[in-house]
Structures are given as structure tokens and as C-alpha cells.
Amino acid sequence: MANAYTTLWTNDVCRYLGRQGYEGERLVILFGGPFQSQPSFIRAGVKEGDHIYPVRAHRKQLWALGRMEVGRVLPYETFGERTATEDWVRIVRWDALKAGVTTEVLLGPPGSPLRFDRAVPPGLLTELTFRSRRGERRLKHIVDGELTRSHGVQGIYRLAPASAEAMAALVAG
């Protein structure tokens, strides 16, 4: 069974992507690494078939930017040896997503279009639940339907099934 994860994109990355005309393009590639600025999808347990939801914390809201299905997880250093020319086009086009040390590449079929105008509704924000080996948790730092701190989404986190379904519906709508 496929899992779903969120990954936080910085406001700087989102502003850059918006200025460079990425909005509306379908998500096809993501990058991971060993640091908080670019966390590891592999360490988070992401596998082929899973779904990734990039999110943004901005102006006291959580924004659902899109969804990508993971088709392949590859080490960055051998990416060129194991990919077709079309995948090189992807890596060059989406180079803005790389930050710091990149150690892994996630490739997928075209996902949902990237959008910066899709806020997670307050009801879903308060109910958003994440799963780990230690159990389930909801986001903290939510006051009157607003996200006052982004600590709970910094990194890559697996969504509980009901939250994954809600995020899929939000991104599809």
C-alpha cells in the first residue's frame, strides 16, 4: 500500500519558482539530502508508488503546492548513468529545488500542476495527522485555524490515511 508524505519547501524556493514561471508545471522530480534544508526521502521511508505533497508555510497558513507519485528513487551521484535524456531535461529544469548537498533524486510520472494559491482549509489544518513508529500526531501551534509556527512540518512526514485522502482531494480540486 502506498504512503503519502509532506515535504516543506522554503518561501525563498516558492518565490523563485513563482517568479520563474513554474506555476502550472507538473511535478516530475524532487531532490533529497542529508540536511534539514534538504531532508532525505530515503531516511523518511519513501518508496516507489508513494505520493509526495510539497507544502509551504506562509502567512499563518499551510499551502498545498501539488502532488507527485514516486516512480524511482535514485542516488544523485549515479543519476546520469541510470536515466534517459528526458530525465536530464527534468533535472536541469527543476534545478531550483536542489539545496545544499543533494544525495537522492525522486522521479515520477507527471504529477499535479504546481500551484501557490491552494491553502489548506482551517478544518483540515487542525485535523491533519501524521504517522510514525511512535504513533500519530497532529500539528501543534494552530490558533484559530492559523499556523503560528511551522516546526511541525519542517522535514518529510508520513500522513495518516485519512489526512492523505483529504490532501489528495484538496490537490485534485
Side-chain angles (χ1 to χ4, degrees):
M1 174 149 182
N3 288 310
Y5 297 81
T6 62
T7 183
L8 182 68
W9 285 4
T10 67
N11 287 313
D12 287 342
V13 166
C14 291
R15 280 190 290 272
Y16 177 82
L17 293 174
R19 283 193 309 268
Q20 297 300 315
Y22 284 81
E23 188 163 12
E25 288 192 33
R26 295 188 175 277
L27 297 171
V28 292
I29 190 167
L30 295 170
F31 301 95
F35 301 116
Q36 184 177 0
S37 62
Q38 188 167 344
S40 171
F41 289 98
I42 293 171
R43 192 174 12 185
V46 173
K47 295 184 179 13
E48 294 176 3
D50 289 343
H51 292 113
I52 309 294
Y53 293 90
V55 295
R56 175 187 193 185
H58 184 62
R59 296 188 176 168
K60 296 187 177 185
Q61 291 184 305
L62 188 67
W63 302 83
L65 305 176
R67 178 177 77 177
M68 185 185 104
E69 180 181 343
V70 178
R72 291 187 290 165
V73 180
L74 301 169
Y76 183 73
E77 65 272 4
T78 62
F79 176 76
E81 301 165 11
R82 302 167 68 180
T83 57
T85 303
E86 67 192 40
D87 292 328
W88 271 107
V89 173
R90 292 178 185 182
I91 199 169
V92 170
R93 175 65 180 139
W94 289 93
D95 188 60
L97 294 179
K98 293 191 306 185
V101 178
T102 298
T103 58
E104 58 202 40
V105 179
L106 277 63
L107 291 171
S112 72
L114 180 64
R115 289 184 41 196
F116 298 107
D117 63 347
R118 189 174 27 226
V120 175
L124 175 54
L125 187 63
T126 58
E127 296 296 318
L128 206 58
T129 305
F130 298 94
R131 298 179 89 175
S132 71
R133 289 182 212 114
R134 293 179 279 180
E136 293 189 351
R137 70 167 177 89
R138 289 203 173 137
L139 286 176
K140 296 180 183 177
H141 310 294
I142 298 174
V143 177
D144 297 328
E146 295 182 331
L147 184 65
T148 60
R149 292 188 183 166
S150 63
H151 299 295
V153 291
Q154 290 178 355
I156 300 169
Y157 296 105
R158 185 167 52 124
L159 290 163
S163 292
E165 289 176 21
M167 286 293 283
L170 176 64
V171 170

